[in-house]
Amino acid sequence: MNVVILAAGKGKRMHSDLPKVLHPIGGRPMLSLVIDAARALSPTRLVVVYGHGGETVRDAIGAAGVTWVLQEPQLGTGHAVLQALPHLDPSRPTIVLYGDVPLIRPATLLRLAEMAADDSLAVLTVCLEHPKGYGRIVRVDGAIRRIVEEKDADDAEKAIREINTGIVVAPTTALQRWLPGLSNLNAQGEYYLTDIVGLAVAEAMSVASCQPEHAWEVEGVNSKRQLAQLERIHQRNLADALLDAGVTLADPDRIDIRGELACGRDVSIDVGCVFEGRVEIADGARIGPYCVLKNSRVAAGATLQAYCHLEDAEVGPANAIGPYARLRPGAKLGTDVHIGNFVEVKNSTIADHSKANHLAYVGDATVGSRVNIGAGTICCNYDGANKHRTVIEDDVFIGSDTQLVAPVTVGRGATLGAGTTLTRDAPAEQLTVSRAKQVSIAGWKRPVKQKKG
Ligand code: UD1
Ligand code: CA
């Protein structure tokens, strides 16, 4: 079938310079979610009608296989679909979606499409407690006769609680017949797509309807409040999917997934964690409270304690990370690596069984196995103009408060004494220490405060 997504409208009530359909749900522009739902139908043609926000919308989405059609000016939903008509396959029916109704489920669309069959119209409707603002479904003896917009409705029509969600399937050849002849003689001076229902009835074409399983599927975003509500629903849906797959969540209402989170078996995630981009968590890994993980991988059996921050990082098997660890892009950790509080790792590999437990900066470093990096160790990787690498070979012990002025290599099995500022390579197996000799001055007295006046 053909899919047309309407996304030209303005979104004035968002009070934002960002075009409405680009506001994110789950970290992605809401239009991208609608395009995903459309794709699930394997459409023959997928057309997005854009207008307000212009090329910004098109450039931000950049989806392959989408035909972009500019609607300028925006004269109503009927006018919008008319712009898409030349790009549709007339031998297949057309389903119309809204770019600002982001949580629609493909299963619902498939059900609606089946109802439309070859020669009829199908409208997705829903009954609302408060139908104000929506187009109402007017039925006679149970059969749909037409749709009347709120602004054109009389009091009896306004009392109707069954509303038009806007999502509709129609034979494309019928759209070709009807759309060019729509009138804009109505309260809003717009070409209403909803008028096709009356036109179908006039031709004795059958008009079917069905309802979505959940009301949130057809809720639109017109304000930041509605955006926030749908965000919570979307997050809860993602959390439920994780629970269904066997992931333990301390509280499914306190997790935020802004991208794709793939979990193995027996993964547990504590409250307040944020996942961005593509994140993978392997079997048995445990994520403590309030961690932020972006485009990262956590291998099997690893533990992240509270408040860890990971970006483009790889945590190795059985690692113990945090609390308060920061793994920046290019951090790659081997097996059984320990990274403790206030340790920052960037663009560095740390091999098996090595530890940096407290207050350290490991940047642009290659660290071997069984290395112990003492508290306060700093890789001085930047000379103000260029970055240089530090190499720390296997079985090295680095005393506390050591500076490694890169480029520099610490040989296998070497020990660096606490407080060393290493500016030349440290030979293997030896103790290297650079600090003033300790002296004690006998009989030394502290100065005393002099009396004034
Ligand atoms: C529309 C329906 C109404 C339905 C409601 C559901 C019509 C005439 N009315 O009303 O029956 O209950 O949606 O939310 O269809 N758009 C364009 N180009 C335009 C106008 C709109 O692309 O020229 C897009 C908007 O970006 C939006 C969608 O179409 O995604 C609906 O437009 P909107 O102005 O919100 O329609 P409503 O008046 O709410
Ligand atoms: Ca609307």
Side-chain angles (χ1 to χ4, degrees):
M1 91 186 93
N2 304 288
V3 178
V4 177
I5 301 174
L6 303 188
K10 186 148 186 208
K12 219 167 54 193
R13 279 179 285 160
M14 296 296 278
H15 301 291
S16 169
D17 291 337
L18 190 67
K20 177 158 82 171
V21 291
L22 294 186
H23 283 265
I25 296 273
R28 299 174 63 222
M30 61 175 113
L31 178 55
S32 296
L33 275 72
V34 182
I35 290 174
D36 284 357
R39 283 240 169 82
L41 308 176
S42 315
T44 29
R45 304 282 161 81
L46 175 47
V47 178
V48 177
V49 180
Y50 71 108
H52 194 82
E55 307 306 320
T56 323
V57 173
R58 194 172 142 157
D59 295 346
I61 301 293
V66 172
T67 305
W68 294 87
V69 174
L70 184 66
Q71 184 200 14
E72 184 65 64
Q74 290 103 46
L75 302 179
T77 49
H79 178 255
V81 177
L82 179 64
Q83 311 309 305
L85 264 188
H87 305 276
L88 305 180
D89 175 354
S91 69
R92 309 289 179 98
T94 295
I95 184 162
V96 177
L97 307 179
Y98 285 1
D100 56 1
V101 179
L103 300 189
I104 186 69
R105 290 164 57 245
T108 302
L109 299 177
L110 283 171
R111 224 160 17 95
L112 187 71
E114 276 165 21
M115 305 207 64
D118 269 350
D119 218 23
S120 62
L121 210 63
V123 185
L124 192 66
T125 74
V126 68
C127 288
L128 297 180
E129 196 75 46
H130 304 288
K132 194 169 191 299
Y134 291 98
R136 307 298 206 283
I137 306 293
V138 180
R139 290 180 185 263
V140 174
D141 298 330
I144 296 180
R145 303 297 298 185
R146 58 191 181 94
I147 296 176
V148 59
E149 292 303 296
E150 162 98 16
K151 288 190 174 123
D152 301 293
D154 59 30
D155 286 348
E157 288 163 341
K158 277 183 190 157
I160 298 171
R161 301 228 320 252
E162 187 183 12
I163 64 106
N164 171 34
T165 64
I167 294 173
V168 50
V169 186
T172 306
T173 46
L175 292 175
Q176 289 173 332
R177 249 185 347 265
W178 298 328
L179 295 182
L182 288 181
S183 143
N184 67 350
L185 298 174
N186 51 51
Q188 304 186 79
E190 286 181 8
Y191 298 95
Y192 290 165
L193 181 63
T194 44
D195 284 352
I196 66 174
V197 173
L199 294 169
V201 170
E203 287 185 10
M205 185 185 283
S206 85
V207 181
S209 67
C210 74
Q211 278 79 43
E213 199 177 322
H214 312 280
W216 47 254
E217 291 182 57
V218 294
E219 272 170 37
V221 173
N222 296 305
S223 66
K224 285 288 172 78
R225 271 191 197 224
Q226 287 167 332
L227 181 69
Q229 278 161 5
L230 290 192
E231 176 72 25
R232 282 347 298 161
I233 291 166
H234 178 66
Q235 290 301 337
R236 182 61 208 226
N237 290 343
L238 296 177
D240 285 342
L242 288 175
L243 292 172
D244 291 345
V247 177
T248 300
L249 299 178
D251 182 351
D253 287 322
R254 282 187 289 167
I255 179 170
D256 284 87
I257 301 165
R258 300 175 193 150
E260 217 183 318
L261 173 59
C263 293
R265 287 178 81 81
D266 295 306
V267 166
S268 84
I269 300 172
D270 214 324
V271 299
C273 293
V274 178
F275 300 92
E276 293 178 47
R278 164 106 194 144
V279 175
E280 287 171 41
I281 305 176
D283 296 355
R286 301 208 316 262
I287 312 297
Y290 303 106
C291 291
V292 177
L293 285 79
K294 184 173 183 180
N295 297 321
S296 292
R297 290 217 297 260
V298 177
T303 302
L304 267 62
Q305 293 195 60
Y307 300 108
C308 290
H309 192 285
L310 277 60
E311 180 175 357
D312 294 310
E314 285 177 34
V315 169
N319 281 193
I321 310 294
Y324 300 104
R326 181 167 185 212
L327 304 182
R328 291 175 49 204
K332 285 202 181 89
L333 312 181
T335 300
D336 181 38
V337 169
H338 292 205
I339 301 293
N341 40 238
F342 308 109
V343 173
E344 175 179 341
V345 181
K346 185 217 75 173
N347 190 28
S348 296
T349 57
I350 302 182
D352 303 352
H353 314 295
S354 289
K355 297 180 170 67
N357 274 327
H358 332 267
L359 302 155
Y361 175 56
V362 181
D364 300 307
T366 305
V367 179
S369 297
R370 295 171 304 277
V371 169
N372 193 322
I373 296 175
T377 298
I378 307 266
C379 292
C380 307
N381 58 331
Y382 186 52
D383 60 14
N386 297 296
K387 301 228 168 95
H388 304 281
R389 282 200 86 75
T390 297
V391 177
I392 302 171
E393 294 178 355
D394 294 347
D395 299 297
V396 163
F397 181 98
I398 299 178
S400 299
D401 193 28
T402 294
Q403 300 92 53
L404 302 147
V405 182
V408 75
T409 296
V410 183
R412 172 185 291 263
T415 299
L416 302 187
T420 292
T421 300
L422 195 73
T423 52
R424 285 172 284 125
D425 291 353
E429 307 294 345
Q430 296 181 22
L431 169 68
T432 298
V433 58
S434 77
R435 69 172 111 110
K437 274 229 154 48
Q438 182 172 322
V439 293
S440 299
I441 299 168
W444 179 83
K445 292 266 187 304
R446 284 189 194 166
V448 287
K449 193 156 190 158
Q450 289 178 354
K451 286 208 169 85
K452 281 197 187 132

